[in-house]
Amino acid sequence: MGKTFIFGHKNPDTDSICSAIVYANLKETLDFDVEAVRLGALNKETEYVLHYAKQEAPRLIEKVEEDVEQVILVDHNEFQQSVDNIRDVKIAEVIDHHRIANFETADPLLFRAEPVGCTATILNKMFKEKNVEISKTNALLLLSAIVSDTLLFKSPTCTEEDVAAARELANIAEVNVEEYGLDMLKAGTDLSDKTITE
Amino acid sequence: MGKTFIFGHKNPDTDSICSAIVYANLKETLDFDVEAVRLGALNKETEYVLHYAKQEAPRLIEKVEEDVEQVILVDHNEFQQSVDNIRDVKIAEVIDHHRIANFETADPLLFRAEPVGCTATILNKMFKEKNVEISKTNALLLLSAIVSDTLLFKSPTCTEEDVAAARELANIAEVNVEEYGLDMLKAGTDLSDKTITE
Ligand SMILES: [Mn+2]
Ligand SMILES: [Mn+2]
Ligand SMILES: [Mn+2]
Ligand SMILES: [Mn+2]
């Protein structure tokens, strides 16, 4: 079987980038030929996370090349949020936590959507289901996605499952959720680009 | 929270009926207020299965009544295969094994589709994930759905997972898969209604 691309939505946020990286790692461990890619520029918050984790960013793509056999969508399902040529490629899987709309396939696939606050919360479960240990770096990436999507557990979309997953992941990543989370969210507010009078 | 209806597609087959019954049982065990219902007449094969299992058929509905809080779809997702007023009700979950199309929700939900031969194969996994034992009757119903959808493992949509699930379920149900399966499929061919010269 040929390569599989894994990516989140356009205008990627921390969940779209980190979930793509971490799910690609899980799939590689399970012996699949996958590559995490991204559909747009990193925001400041995600840059902070990848720098902290010493993790390279996924490669930027404009469209899915013809030699790519299939794709896996994370953190989105609606076609208008996906790669421009999404209708021309085989979608093998979707892992998401959003409403479902503007999505269709010709064939059956693995579609896993759960009403939780973050894709990373679902991925945390999938590592356990597959009996794969989560590395320190992957734990930090998943934790960052949860902090980002739930605004440090303050968003109305945040569930108990997200909080529990974040606590577990913070343990593995050996960071203090509140301290790290605030620093990360602050980095995302992008004050460094503004002048003092702003 | 009010009642939840669980149903399969219009023109129900054995998977649509049996998966609705068995998933309703699982949900009840987990303390949810649910009712399995159906969107059409039983076929001969399903009648044979329910009679063999001494299981009552789900209640026939024309549409989802207004006091029903939400619905769970099994064995389908496309709205044209679902209840006529599907667009007016809240869809809480979908458990399915078909391609996804003509489906959308306003809110996030649990959507679990897997590329296997039968919804019952996914339900068999869900009992294990929830640590709920499968009763002898439920095992027979799930086994019947797999035999029906895979034509006793001969259909091209049949996967190794379906075969393994059927073997497990046959053990619990204490039936011989080949014997029971053939009798069941024969009952579905409906020869009893025909005259000898046919
Ligand atoms: Mn996102
Ligand atoms: Mn997200
Ligand atoms: Mn069916
Ligand atoms: Mn089916």
Side-chain angles (χ1 to χ4, degrees), chain B residues 9 13 16 75 98:
Chain B
H9 51 77
D13 53 14
S16 268
D75 197 37
H98 295 95

Side-chain angles (χ1 to χ4, degrees), chain A residues 13 15 75 97-98 117-119 149:
Chain A
D13 53 13
D15 190 22
D75 197 37
H97 65 116
H98 295 95
C118 185
T119 308
D149 269 10

